[in-house]
């Protein structure tokens, strides 16, 4: 008896992806492809053309299906957008200008039909708002397929970047008792029965009864945790989900998003800026080289000029500007500001755009910011007015990275904690890093989805994550 595996290999041709048919030299080979119908067109010459997509690449594979197939009338003529099929055929050079190769089909099997009047996706252009209401099906569109592939490539590039430089990936906790920056907007995690809360004698909630015995939250940042690991393992990073109960509907805020946070011991602010610049250049060029067809689509359909802009960014040195100089430049500028630039205030969008688009005409890193507008953990400069913070600003987009050298001197850290009215007891383990073998260290953070918005040109952050979470939005 022939073993089943050999039987299969003689009777069923190898299953290959659409990417493989279009890219590899398979001409003349008989292969099996599987995917979803994008369109069907019937020719009078005795066959139908099917555009097949399986997500392996942006492009579709053209199937040429002869009317002589035994199930042509019953199956093929009933195929509509969205139907799933498998087909075997011979890979053949295509006479058409649209594609180099096509598949001449000898058998076609329908896995799942689609009732076209009920299918929410159709060939006409659909708004991104509409597609958010069918988030379970939107990955079948050109745009969302491209986003998924670019998102994957950028995630891999981020790990590559750090791994090739000897960084360790640290899984920082998702549930935490500490609020990193003293900012509210945290989601609480509890197993208490909300309809019958245990009470303390004075009427408060008795958190001793809660799962962790005290209030707990979803993390808003892994930074404080990752600092601990940098102060032992030197070069580390986190890359994972973070949560903010941002009660605002903007095109840049999600309630659940991913954050990338490297942290390096023995590194000052300048080393930190070097790392940030190399990082952005690396991930941007990876997206361009790993996903050329997807990036061409974003360039043509989403943001004209995108690819050239990203290529330039990946090859030009960024400008570094002390905050005080940036304010001076803005004050001298012959522009009617809505908000005049003032030392001690954050840079407004109009200021960011002027600096990156008009004045320097390239990405810039603004550093040494007023202490009064930055969090407690940043290294205080000798002037005691500024801290070693940096923001990377890019043309058209604005801030893409924020980071700092951390305050590693305990007395200075305590001064800042007190000045901001924070409770030092809550930071006892963070303070311990400064009590025991403290070292200068630096790091930065950036939102993964913001980075993807920048790279794809997508306007709304809800469109660069598979299933966005935002106020009143958790359907899928
Ligand atoms: P913003 O001013 O845009 O709200 P932030 O100052 O609150 O940002 P940080 O606390 O510095 O941001 O967080 C680090 C990074 O995380 C930001 O630079 C941004 O890229 C990203 N980020 C912050 N909040 C969100 C959010 N709600 N959704 C997606 N990304 C976010
Ligand atoms: Mn914010």
């Amino acid at each position: 008896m022939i073993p089943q595996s050999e039987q299969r290999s003689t009777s069923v041709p190898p299953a290959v992806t659409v990417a493989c048919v279009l890219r590899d030299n398979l001409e003349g080979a008989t292969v099996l492809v599987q995917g979803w119908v994008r369109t069907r067109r019937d020719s009078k010459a005795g066959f139908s053309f099917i555009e097949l997509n399986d997500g392996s690449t942006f492009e579709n594979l053209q199937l040429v299906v002869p009317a002589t197939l035994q199930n042509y009338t019953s199956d093929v003529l009933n195929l509509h957008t969205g139907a799933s099929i498998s087909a075997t055929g011979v890979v053949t050079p295509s006479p058409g200008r649209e594609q180099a190769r096509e598949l001449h089909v000898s058998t076609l099997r329908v896995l799942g039909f689609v009732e076209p009047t009920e299918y929410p996706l159709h060939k006409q252009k659909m708004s991104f708002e509409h597609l958010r209401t069918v988030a379970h099906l939107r990955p079948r569109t050109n745009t969302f397929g491209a986003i998924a592939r670019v998102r994957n490539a950028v995630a891999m590039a981020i790990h590559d970047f750090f791994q090739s430089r000897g960084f360790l990936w640290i899984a920082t906790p998702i549930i935490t008792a500490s609020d990193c920056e003293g900012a509210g907007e945290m989601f609480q995690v509890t197993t208490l029965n909300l309809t019958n809360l245990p009470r303390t004698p004075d009427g408060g909630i008795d958190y001793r009864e809660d799962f962790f015995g005290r209030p707990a939250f979803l993390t808003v940042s892994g930074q404080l945790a990752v600092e601990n690991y940098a102060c032992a393992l030197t070069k580390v990073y986190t890359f994972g989900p973070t949560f903010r109960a941002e009660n605002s509907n903007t095109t840049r805020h999600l309630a659940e998003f991913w954050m990338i946070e490297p942290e390096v011991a023995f590194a000052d602010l300048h080393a930190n800026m070097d790392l940030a610049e190399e990082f952005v250049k690396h991930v941007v060029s990876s997206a361009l080289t790993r996903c050329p067809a997807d990036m061409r689509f974003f360039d043509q359909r989403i943001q004209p000029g995108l690819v050239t802009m990203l290529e330039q960014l990946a090859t030009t040195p960024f400008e570094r500007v002390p905050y005080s100089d940036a304010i001076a430049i803005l004050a001298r500028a012959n522009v009617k500001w809505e908000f005049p630039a003032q030392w001690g205030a954050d840079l407004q969008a109009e200021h960011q755009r002027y600096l990156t688009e008009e004045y320097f005409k390239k990405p810039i890193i603004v550093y040494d910011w007023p202490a009064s507008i930055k969090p407690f953990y940043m290294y205080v400069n000798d002037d005691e007015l500024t801290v070693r913070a940096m923001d990377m600003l890019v043309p058209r987009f604005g801030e893409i990275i924020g980071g700092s050298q951390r305050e590693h001197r305990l007395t200075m850290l305590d001064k800042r904690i007190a000045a901001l009215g924070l409770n030092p007891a809550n930071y006892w383990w963070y303070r311990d890093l400064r009590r025991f073998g403290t070292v200068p260290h630096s790091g930065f953070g950036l939102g993964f989805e913001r980075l993807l918005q920048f790279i794809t040109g997508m306007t709304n952050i809800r469109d660069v994550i598979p299933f966005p979470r935002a106020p009143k939005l958790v359907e899928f």
Side-chain angles (χ1 to χ4, degrees):
M1 204 173 109
I2 308 170
Q4 238 191 348
S5 58
E6 284 182 32
Q7 261 179 11
R8 277 182 61 98
S9 69
T10 51
S11 57
V12 182
V16 294
T17 61
V18 167
C20 174
V21 174
L22 295 177
R23 187 188 56 214
D24 299 348
N25 186 13
L26 292 175
E27 272 163 30
T30 299
V31 299
L32 169 76
V33 293
Q34 307 165 99
W36 293 266
V37 172
R38 281 293 175 81
T39 58
R40 188 195 90 228
R41 184 162 60 82
D42 306 318
S43 132
K44 293 205 180 71
F47 35 83
S48 295
F49 296 104
I50 290 173
E51 294 290 323
L52 187 76
N53 192 285
D54 67 357
S56 59
T57 180
F58 184 84
E59 288 100 346
N60 302 323
L61 175 64
Q62 174 161 283
L63 309 185
V64 184
V65 188
T68 51
L69 284 196
Q70 153 261 323
N71 60 341
Y72 183 78
T73 314
S74 57
D75 285 351
V76 177
L77 291 184
N78 288 309
L79 287 176
H80 300 285
T81 304
S84 50
I85 60 172
S86 69
T88 56
V90 179
V91 181
T92 311
S94 174
R97 259 178 302 132
E98 306 272 304
Q99 63 281 318
R101 301 186 177 112
E102 59 192 25
L103 193 76
H104 288 190
V105 171
S106 48
T107 62
L108 184 147
R109 198 157 70 85
V110 179
L111 304 175
F113 284 107
V114 159
E115 176 49 59
T117 57
E118 290 170 13
Y119 193 54
L121 304 183
H122 45 79
K123 264 199 307 194
Q124 291 73 34
K125 199 165 162 53
M126 291 167 288
S127 73
F128 293 136
E129 286 77 12
H130 169 68
L131 288 170
R132 265 171 239 143
T133 67
V134 288
H136 58 311
L137 295 170
R138 69 179 184 169
R140 297 184 184 190
T141 63
N142 280 336
T143 306
F144 289 90
I147 290 165
R149 282 182 297 274
V150 170
R151 189 178 165 107
N152 171 69
V154 173
M156 291 302 292
I158 288 165
H159 283 296
D160 284 352
F161 176 83
F162 290 119
Q163 295 291 325
S164 68
R165 283 164 178 74
F167 284 66
L168 301 181
W169 178 38
I170 307 299
T172 50
I174 285 171
I175 299 174
T176 169
S178 73
D179 170 352
C180 177
E181 315 216 349
E185 63 191 39
M186 297 184 91
F187 287 102
Q188 192 162 356
V189 177
T190 181
T191 53
L192 291 179
N193 178 353
L194 298 183
T195 59
N196 184 17
L197 288 167
R199 295 291 176 183
T200 54
D202 60 2
I205 295 166
D206 188 358
Y207 281 107
R208 286 170 313 175
E209 303 275 312
D210 202 354
F211 188 89
F212 295 106
R214 57 189 284 196
F217 306 90
L218 294 180
T219 185
V220 294
S221 157
Q223 183 201 314
L224 300 192
V226 87
E227 275 188 55
N228 295 262
Y229 269 70
C231 291
L233 305 171
T234 306
K235 295 201 273 186
V236 299
Y237 68 108
T238 67
F239 180 14
T242 40
F243 306 86
R244 295 191 189 180
E246 313 261 18
N247 207 357
S248 58
N249 280 292
T250 80
T251 57
R252 292 223 176 172
H253 291 90
L254 290 164
E256 177 179 306
F257 62 99
W258 286 56
M259 191 123 79
I260 302 134
E261 294 171 290
E263 192 72 33
V264 187
F266 316 109
D268 65 8
L269 186 65
H270 288 275
N272 200 26
M273 292 194 274
D274 292 342
L275 185 72
E277 182 171 339
E278 273 182 64
F279 170 84
V280 169
K281 289 177 166 168
H282 175 85
V283 296
V284 162
S285 29
S286 299
L288 293 169
T289 52
R290 292 187 197 196
C291 302
D294 297 313
M295 292 305 297
R296 220 177 302 125
F297 170 80
F298 291 123
D299 186 82
Q300 285 163 1
R301 302 295 287 275
I302 305 293
Q303 184 182 317
L306 179 71
V307 165
T308 308
M309 183 274 284
L310 293 175
E311 281 168 353
Q312 272 168 7
L313 175 138
T315 48
T316 332
F318 296 1
E319 197 71 35
R320 304 207 181 159
V321 201
Y323 167 88
S324 300
D325 293 4
I327 294 295
I329 292 167
L330 294 167
R332 278 201 310 270
N334 189 17
V335 179
K336 271 239 171 321
W337 302 113
E338 194 181 335
F339 302 94
Q342 249 187 347
W343 203 98
D346 210 347
L347 296 181
Q348 301 290 324
E350 55 177 342
H351 306 144
Q352 300 184 354
R353 298 196 68 150
Y354 176 80
L355 291 169
T356 55
E357 292 166 30
E358 314 271 328
Y359 193 87
F360 292 108
K361 297 187 170 30
K362 54 158 94 164
I364 65 173
I365 305 180
V366 179
Y367 66 98
D368 285 348
W369 287 73
S372 53
I373 54 170
K374 291 292 181 183
F376 74 92
Y377 51 73
M378 297 185 176
Y379 185 99
V380 180
N381 280 315
D382 292 344
D383 61 14
E384 299 218 9
L385 284 173
T386 58
V387 290
R388 292 193 185 164
M390 60 117 168
D391 277 7
M392 183 189 290
L393 310 176
V394 291
R396 297 185 59 153
F397 192 81
E399 180 187 336
I400 191 150
I401 287 186
S404 65
Q405 181 172 334
R406 317 307 188 188
E407 184 54 80
H408 70 285
R409 301 161 298 182
L410 185 61
T411 43
M412 206 47 120
L413 184 72
D414 282 344
K415 239 168 122 174
R416 292 276 288 154
I417 288 178
L420 292 170
L422 303 172
N423 179 2
N426 291 344
Y427 298 93
W428 68 271
W429 47 274
Y430 191 72
R431 292 179 69 253
D432 267 4
L433 294 181
R434 280 77 182 162
R435 294 174 62 208
F436 307 127
T438 192
V439 291
H441 58 286
S442 300
F444 60 82
L446 74 159
F448 185 43
E449 287 75 17
R450 296 265 179 100
L451 177 65
L452 288 170
Q453 274 189 287
F454 176 65
I455 290 177
T456 59
M458 293 296 291
T459 315
N460 196 316
I461 198 167
R462 297 179 186 192
D463 296 330
V464 296
I465 190 165
F467 298 103
R469 271 81 181 92
K472 310 285 181 288
L473 183 66
V474 70
E475 173 76 11
F476 298 96

